[in-house]
Amino acid sequence: MATTFANGFGPDGFDESNPVNIYRSHIAELLASVAQKSARDIYDRLSWTQTFDKGDLGLAVPSLRVPPKEAGATASKWGENFPESDLVEKPVVAGTFLQFFFKPQPLLKIIIPSILQRKTLYGANPKLGLRDESNPSKGRKRAIIEFSSPNIAKPFHAGHLRSTIIGGFLSNVHSAAGWDVVRINYLGDWGRQFGLLAIAFDQYGSEEKLQKDPIGHLFDIYVEINKVSKPEEDEIKEKKEELKIASESGKDSAALTKDIEALESKSVNEKARHYFKRMEDGDETALAIWRRFRDLSIERYKKTYARLNIEFDYYSGESQVEMDRMDRAAQQLEETGVSEPSAGAVIVDLTKNPKTKKLGKALVRKRDGSTLYLTRDIGEAVKREELYHPDKMVYVVASQQDLHLAQLFKILELMGHQELAAKCQHINFGMVQGMSTRKGTVKFLDDILRDVGEKMHEVMQKNQAKYEQVADPRQTADTLGITAVMVQDMMGKRINGYEFSLERMTSFEGDTGPYLQYAHARLCSITRKAGLSEEDLGSADLSLLQEPHAINLVRALASWPDVVQNTLKTQEPVTVLSYLFKMTHMLSSSYDVLKVVGSEPEIKKARMALYEAARQVLNNGMKLLGLSPVERSVEGTCTKIRFADMDRM
């Protein structure tokens, strides 16, 4: 066998995080001598195949700067002259591609021990997060990830769920890749609505209800006050339409103007504006009520986040952007010529440049002199740069804000913050349809999780024998319910929205969250019944794993580190989810072939080493998604969840 790169783990030296790099290095060096190409170039172009019938790694010959007309003949020549190897078979030539198949026995002896030794670290690659891989002393790259960002005193509903799940997942993936991740929750915690809320609490508030369920109670009174303010605003709007018609026709409109002024002066919204003005002016009484609402809401949010395995390093918000930062942003926009006056307001006209024409015109300051979200967001972005010095600043925000964030990034660049703008990235997603806030028809996330958990508990109770084996059945039911909701949300690509449906979320049909949990619980059950120690598994004779089911499962497990690395590029939870479902399907088809109970002792050890490696990868993948793997589950309603199968293992 030819000599590989240093220690056989890649052209840059030892890399225990991904054992398949042994194969990449090996293939690259052997092929380099045949192709007269750089081993580094070959290594970088070896990629996983879509299906195992096309090999374990593939190489597109044209990618090595081989002219298209010569690529087929060159592929045949390289394949024919590829040296004999202890690790890989002779490559299969498929047109202009070379398909490399790993030899089973070396693969088993490399992959399974690697997983059993690295455990939760298998798939993680801390090197990817280094600023300079050749000099770790330069430190790790830092990513600021802003996600979730609900509005204070409004419910955390399913519409917020997408940002929370995606942001938590991206945080986990970057952490697995060695990045220093700063998780920020940028709350909607400032504005006229807080004046409205203070008035509502004065009229409808209950101290007892506020203490018991702050967000729910604040939401209830928010809905009540809107029932009052909405008709008032409708009447004012109607009067203004009448005024417009009267003015255009030259009629005397003095009385109508007076009526409008009287309506506005006594309206709830006008009182809310005055209250918020007190907050802006630093009125301590007004601010004390606002802080109380904010603090109580955050404490309640934290409990919900804990159920979803989410933590934040910093609870920021609109209120935390200092006024002088916004003023400086507006001043800088003016001084750099980026902004301009327009009909009494101030705008940034991006249509003047053909390259940014599609971004339209962004309003910076209203005619009344008040600033908008844009100056606040500019101030916050600059503040984060100064505080954290990030290498990447990610905004996990719905696609409805595509234009706003594109304008923000471009304006930062035009203002002179080119480096900062280059670091900014918008991770968008489609919306959950069927939600509403103002009308009171919103579905609270806590209520959703409770309902799904209760349904899971009912399912568990149908198998009383198994139910009694679960230490904390209600907690397990809650975990299964949360898994059902989260997996349903991650099933498609981020940009695809979906209609909110409790029935679909709780369905056991097809690939679901409960099925993943069942797969993990089943592997745990096999482990318990086998009664083998870590030492037993470590001494297993893996050459006894001869069956195609075992070999193909190990081929799948070998690809997990690359799946994690690829997810850094796709930034899609479904990349991981698809892999886990594919792997668990392979597991399911293996159980009847690779029995543990009743097999010979040495075969039992080898198969258990394989199953433990599979359980570890499944566990790692579920945790990367933000799920909490359960060790015991109970029979479900779909045919896939059958504990009779478990008893045969």
Side-chain angles (χ1 to χ4, degrees):
M1 183 172 68
T3 308
T4 58
F5 290 102
N7 295 315
F9 281 77
D12 294 323
F14 186 80
D15 178 13
E16 65 174 2
S17 64
N18 190 349
V20 170
N21 286 343
I22 297 174
Y23 289 85
R24 286 193 173 90
S25 300
H26 180 66
I27 293 169
E29 186 169 276
L30 290 183
L31 190 58
S33 62
V34 172
Q36 299 301 303
K37 297 288 184 181
S38 160
R40 174 82 257 184
D41 287 346
I42 296 171
Y43 181 95
D44 289 340
R45 287 162 178 77
L46 287 166
S47 59
W48 280 97
T49 58
Q50 292 296 314
T51 54
F52 287 148
D53 63 318
K54 293 181 172 60
D56 294 288
L57 290 174
L59 177 70
V61 172
S63 69
L64 289 167
R65 296 178 296 280
V66 174
K69 291 183 179 180
E70 302 174 13
T74 300
S76 297
K77 179 182 175 183
W78 291 357
E80 183 180 340
N81 294 324
F82 191 83
E84 288 295 325
S85 163
D86 293 340
L87 293 181
V88 295
E89 307 285 359
K90 272 266 193 180
V92 174
V93 180
T96 61
F97 286 82
L98 291 178
Q99 299 171 349
F100 296 92
F101 290 80
F102 299 162
K103 289 186 174 180
Q105 288 307 310
L107 183 68
L108 293 168
K109 294 172 184 177
I110 291 171
I111 299 302
I112 293 178
S114 177
I115 298 171
L116 297 182
Q117 289 165 17
R118 287 182 58 76
K119 299 184 183 297
T120 59
L121 295 178
Y122 182 69
N125 187 352
K127 277 189 174 183
L128 297 175
L130 293 175
R131 286 200 165 96
D132 184 349
E133 285 192 27
S134 64
N135 186 3
S137 66
K138 291 186 178 179
R140 295 185 292 160
K141 290 181 279 190
R142 176 172 291 162
I144 291 177
I145 302 182
E146 174 197 307
F147 62 104
S148 195
S149 305
N151 292 310
I152 287 290
K154 294 183 183 179
F156 187 115
H157 58 70
H160 294 123
L161 184 66
R162 304 217 73 188
S163 176
T164 305
I165 290 175
I166 295 165
F169 170 73
L170 292 175
S171 299
N172 294 342
V173 170
H174 280 80
S175 294
W179 284 66
D180 175 19
V181 179
V182 179
R183 299 164 175 83
I184 291 182
N185 197 337
Y186 188 65
L187 301 168
D189 63 353
W190 198 246
R192 182 188 61 82
Q193 71 268 25
F194 285 94
L196 197 62
L197 200 61
I199 294 168
F201 189 75
D202 187 54
Q203 293 186 24
Y204 310 111
S206 161
E207 188 62 33
E208 181 182 349
K209 291 180 180 178
L210 182 67
Q211 291 292 337
K212 185 178 179 180
D213 180 14
I215 293 177
H217 183 54
L218 291 175
F219 171 69
D220 289 341
I221 63 173
Y222 179 79
V223 171
E224 287 302 313
I225 201 69
N226 270 287
K227 289 178 182 178
V228 177
S229 66
K230 182 72 166 59
E232 291 178 347
E233 293 303 303
D234 288 345
E235 184 179 3
I236 291 169
K237 183 178 179 181
E238 186 179 325
K239 292 284 185 181
K240 286 183 175 180
E241 286 295 324
E242 293 177 19
L243 178 63
K244 181 181 177 183
I245 294 170
S247 298
E248 288 173 351
S249 62
K251 294 181 180 178
D252 183 10
S253 57
L256 200 52
T257 300
K258 193 173 181 180
D259 286 347
I260 293 172
E261 289 174 351
L263 287 171
E264 287 181 332
S265 66
K266 67 179 183 181
S267 71
V268 168
N269 275 329
E270 186 62 23
K271 293 174 184 176
R273 275 188 281 271
H274 283 298
Y275 194 97
F276 181 60
K277 184 66 168 59
R278 288 171 55 198
M279 290 169 57
E280 287 188 306
D281 292 342
D283 183 302
E284 191 51 44
T285 302
L287 286 173
I289 295 173
W290 164 78
R291 285 194 202 98
R292 187 152 182 260
F293 291 167
R294 185 182 193 272
D295 292 346
L296 286 170
S297 296
I298 288 175
E299 286 307 307
R300 188 64 189 88
Y301 285 141
K302 286 180 178 178
K303 292 178 181 178
T304 300
Y305 292 132
R307 297 179 73 189
L308 301 172
N309 295 315
I310 297 289
E311 289 184 353
F312 288 96
D313 299 296
Y314 182 44
Y315 281 85
S316 180
E318 296 166 10
S319 66
Q320 306 302 300
V321 185
E322 300 86 350
M323 187 63 72
D324 67 320
R325 282 191 179 276
M326 291 187 284
D327 290 340
R328 287 203 304 271
Q331 184 180 350
Q332 192 175 359
L333 285 168
E334 183 180 351
E335 290 174 350
T336 55
V338 176
S339 66
E340 61 187 69
S342 175
V346 178
I347 66 167
V348 175
D349 189 354
L350 296 167
T351 64
K352 293 180 178 180
N353 187 327
K355 293 181 180 179
T356 60
K357 188 175 182 179
K358 64 180 181 180
L359 297 180
K361 299 176 181 180
L363 187 61
V364 175
R365 196 183 292 273
K366 292 182 179 179
R367 293 178 185 177
D368 61 7
S370 59
T371 55
L372 294 168
Y373 287 113
L374 188 59
T375 48
R376 194 180 297 276
D377 288 346
I378 291 170
E380 175 68 8
V382 173
K383 180 179 180 179
R384 292 177 188 177
E385 172 73 7
E386 293 173 356
L387 286 174
Y388 301 107
H389 308 291
D391 298 272
K392 182 191 290 190
M393 195 182 297
V394 178
Y395 295 78
V396 186
V397 182
S399 57
Q400 291 175 328
Q401 298 296 319
D402 282 356
L403 178 61
H404 171 73
L405 285 166
Q407 289 176 337
L408 171 64
F409 300 164
K410 176 52 67 174
I411 290 170
L412 281 169
E413 177 188 328
L414 295 174
M415 290 173 66
H417 298 293
Q418 289 90 346
E419 288 187 12
L420 173 57
K423 296 175 183 178
C424 293
Q425 182 181 11
H426 178 201
I427 298 296
N428 61 1
F429 55 88
M431 292 300 294
V432 180
Q433 305 298 323
M435 312 302 296
S436 174
T437 303
R438 292 177 64 88
K439 296 178 183 177
T441 57
V442 69
K443 297 179 178 70
F444 289 79
L445 180 62
D446 285 335
D447 293 337
I448 295 166
L449 298 181
R450 182 200 64 225
D451 292 347
V452 179
E454 287 178 356
K455 182 160 186 174
M456 293 299 170
H457 189 245
E458 291 173 7
V459 170
M460 290 168 63
Q461 287 177 307
K462 292 178 181 178
N463 187 327
Q464 196 61 34
K466 294 294 180 182
Y467 180 84
E468 291 173 357
Q469 295 176 16
V470 180
D472 189 344
R474 288 200 173 273
Q475 179 58 48
T476 298
D478 185 65
T479 300
L480 290 172
I482 290 170
T483 302
V485 173
M486 292 179 70
V487 168
Q488 178 59 56
D489 196 85
M490 294 186 280
M491 284 296 290
K493 288 195 172 182
R494 285 186 282 103
I495 198 60
N496 297 331
Y498 64 89
E499 188 72 25
F500 177 84
S501 169
L502 187 62
E503 289 72 25
R504 185 177 64 183
M505 286 181 174
T506 57
S507 173
F508 282 88
E509 298 301 320
D511 291 336
T512 65
Y515 177 64
L516 275 187
Q517 291 285 16
Y518 163 72
H520 186 269
R522 184 172 186 177
L523 287 166
C524 292
S525 174
I526 295 171
T527 300
R528 287 191 297 271
K529 291 179 180 179
L532 297 176
S533 65
E534 283 191 27
E535 290 74 18
D536 291 331
L537 301 185
S539 65
D541 180 1
L542 300 176
S543 66
L544 296 173
L545 296 172
Q546 301 280 344
E547 300 85 355
H549 285 81
I551 293 163
N552 284 333
L553 181 55
V554 171
R555 293 170 77 187
L557 300 178
S559 68
W560 171 242
D562 275 355
V563 171
V564 178
Q565 187 167 338
N566 185 44
T567 304
L568 268 178
K569 300 174 184 176
T570 67
Q571 304 193 95
E572 294 274 6
V574 73
T575 304
V576 170
L577 198 58
S578 296
Y579 167 85
L580 294 182
F581 280 126
K582 180 180 178 181
M583 192 264 282
T584 51
H585 294 163
M586 294 177 72
L587 266 170
S588 182
S589 67
S590 299
Y591 290 136
D592 286 336
V593 179
L594 305 174
K595 293 178 182 289
V596 173
V597 176
S599 60
E600 294 295 324
E602 290 303 313
I603 292 177
K604 176 181 178 180
K605 283 166 62 175
R607 290 176 177 174
M608 267 314 306
L610 172 62
Y611 284 141
E612 174 56 23
R615 187 207 63 79
Q616 187 67 68
V617 171
L618 178 56
N619 186 284
N620 293 357
M622 291 175 72
K623 287 182 176 177
L624 196 68
L625 292 170
L627 308 176
S628 298
V630 299
E631 295 189 3
R632 291 182 186 270
S633 186
V634 180
E635 183 177 12
T637 57
C638 71
T639 56
K640 287 182 178 178
I641 303 183
R642 293 182 297 123
F643 273 77
D645 292 345
M646 197 176 290
D647 293 332
R648 293 202 305 267
M649 299 309 300

